[in-house]
Amino acid sequence: MDISHLNTNILTHTAIIALKNAYDECTERPAKESIVIAFKALTQLGQDLESRDNISETDNDYDPSEYCAAV
């Protein structure tokens, strides 16, 4: 596991915790729905990156800064 993969995992975990906390504190239904959508998108993005890493560790052409922007 290289450092960019580790950083991606840390960033994903941190964002998921923040989204869960926001959901728990939120009282408005439309905002809760938006948080759920963001959570699902973040989870899918993380899974896509993990799948990509498992397919070819040498073909690491994604930019970690793009992942940070997506989060």
Side-chain angles (χ1 to χ4, degrees):
M1 178 182 299
D2 65 10
I3 191 71
S4 65
H5 186 71
L6 181 61
N7 288 339
T8 302
N9 287 343
I10 291 169
L11 179 62
T12 301
H13 182 71
T14 302
I16 286 172
I17 290 171
L19 287 170
K20 285 180 179 179
N21 289 339
Y23 184 88
D24 290 342
E25 295 297 320
C26 186
T27 59
E28 298 177 13
R29 182 179 172 102
K32 280 188 174 252
E33 291 172 357
S34 293
I35 293 168
V36 169
I37 291 169
F39 177 82
K40 288 179 180 179
L42 175 64
T43 302
Q44 183 62 50
L45 182 59
Q47 290 172 355
D48 291 347
L49 286 174
E50 284 182 23
S51 294
R52 182 180 186 147
D53 286 344
N54 291 334
I55 291 171
S56 174
E57 293 182 11
T58 59
D59 182 26
N60 194 8
D61 62 350
Y62 82 91
D63 183 353
S65 65
E66 290 178 12
Y67 180 77
C68 291
V71 171

